[in-house]
Amino acid sequence: MRPVVVAAVILSALSLCEAAIDRDLQTTVLTGFQRAACPHCHLCVTRQTCRRAVGRALCGVLCAVCRQTDCEDLMEAPHCPSQEPYLEGVICGRGLNREDCPSSHYCNVHPTDAWAVCCPKEVEGPVNGGWTPWGDWGSCSATCEVGTQTRRRTCTAPAPAEDGAPCSGNGEETRGCDVPGICPEERTYRRVCYHTNWSQYRAEPATFLPEDIDSGLCTHVIYSVAVFEENQLL
């Protein structure tokens, strides 16, 4: 707001000596005053807002200028000195909601703080590519037993430019990972059946022989009091 204060003083001085006015200088000063005021014209949305921000006296001067100035025509549009496009969507500089430009850009701030944009840095000669740090390991590809997980990096720190060399190595890395537990389709179940040798001596229809055991029912059979002779079950 300092240029606005200085301009207000100049205006007061000019009003005391109208006969000696240099019209070209007056136009230059007033244009500079308007340029200084435009970035702050949003304060004039209400008198209370303006007065709380800059005080009653300066608020009156500021808002009088803003009412008579077409700031859109007067203000210079955001641009980069090199005429290259600036980075869209990033507002750099000072104040709230401002971001830092990426390493490949710098913050070009208008002299009146009317705008600030990220412009590409000038590249001098070839720039070899550089890897970013590795990202975090991704989730395991398996939900049980053994799988793989991957992490990645990009060749953007910096990116190759002006015929610079690309990054050497891989942008992706994989490793094995273990997940506790056995996969359901690979689990082995045991269903053990108990058979007593005395069941073959029961009276019909309760007689039950080993061959009567359902082959799809038991995976293992325990014989109780069985009699073998030459490896044959009697």
Side-chain angles (χ1 to χ4, degrees):
M1 294 299 292
R2 184 174 298 174
V4 178
V5 176
V6 173
V9 173
I10 293 174
L11 283 178
S12 300
L14 287 175
S15 64
L16 298 176
C17 50
E18 290 289 335
I21 285 178
D22 181 331
R23 297 298 179 182
D24 291 335
L25 176 60
Q26 183 188 49
T27 300
T28 301
V29 171
L30 291 178
T31 301
F33 187 18
Q34 291 171 320
R35 288 185 183 276
C38 279
H40 310 289
C41 285
H42 66 279
L43 296 174
C44 296
V45 62
T46 66
R47 290 182 180 180
Q48 291 79 7
T49 300
C50 183
R51 289 173 180 175
R52 283 198 299 267
V54 297
R56 176 189 289 270
L58 188 54
C59 178
V61 176
L62 172 65
C63 295
V65 174
C66 290
R67 284 194 296 270
Q68 301 176 26
T69 304
D70 187 344
C71 289
E72 289 188 7
D73 290 340
L74 183 66
M75 294 304 298
E76 189 177 20
H79 67 278
C80 294
S82 62
Q83 304 305 315
E84 294 185 71
Y86 56 85
L87 197 62
E88 295 283 353
V90 178
I91 303 176
C92 59
R94 301 177 293 274
L96 297 175
N97 301 320
R98 301 299 175 99
E99 303 177 44
D100 292 330
C101 296
S103 59
S104 57
H105 290 65
Y106 72 96
C107 189
N108 182 35
V109 183
H110 189 271
T112 65
D113 281 337
W115 47 259
V117 292
C118 293
C119 294
K121 292 180 180 177
E122 293 185 11
V123 178
E124 298 180 0
V127 176
N128 296 331
W131 289 112
T132 60
W134 283 106
D136 295 334
W137 287 102
S139 57
C140 192
S141 62
T143 57
C144 57
E145 296 188 349
V146 179
T148 58
Q149 55 186 161
T150 304
R151 64 177 182 176
R152 296 177 175 84
R153 58 181 178 175
T154 59
C155 186
T156 55
E162 300 295 321
D163 297 323
C167 298
S168 60
N170 298 320
E172 186 174 293
E173 195 173 60
T174 303
R175 70 179 182 182
C177 52
D178 296 324
V179 180
I182 302 174
C183 294
E185 62 274 12
E186 298 180 2
R187 289 175 181 164
T188 54
Y189 294 93
R190 292 180 176 83
R191 181 172 293 166
V192 181
C193 298
Y194 179 86
H195 180 270
T196 175
N197 185 48
W198 300 110
S199 61
Q200 64 181 316
Y201 302 118
R202 295 175 187 154
E204 291 291 351
T207 303
F208 196 86
L209 302 175
E211 53 265 32
D212 295 326
I213 298 174
D214 186 349
S215 60
L217 178 64
C218 306
T219 61
H220 297 73
V221 177
I222 297 176
Y223 291 96
S224 175
V225 198
V227 179
F228 285 85
E229 186 175 296
E230 296 180 357
N231 292 329
Q232 295 293 319
L233 179 64
L234 299 181

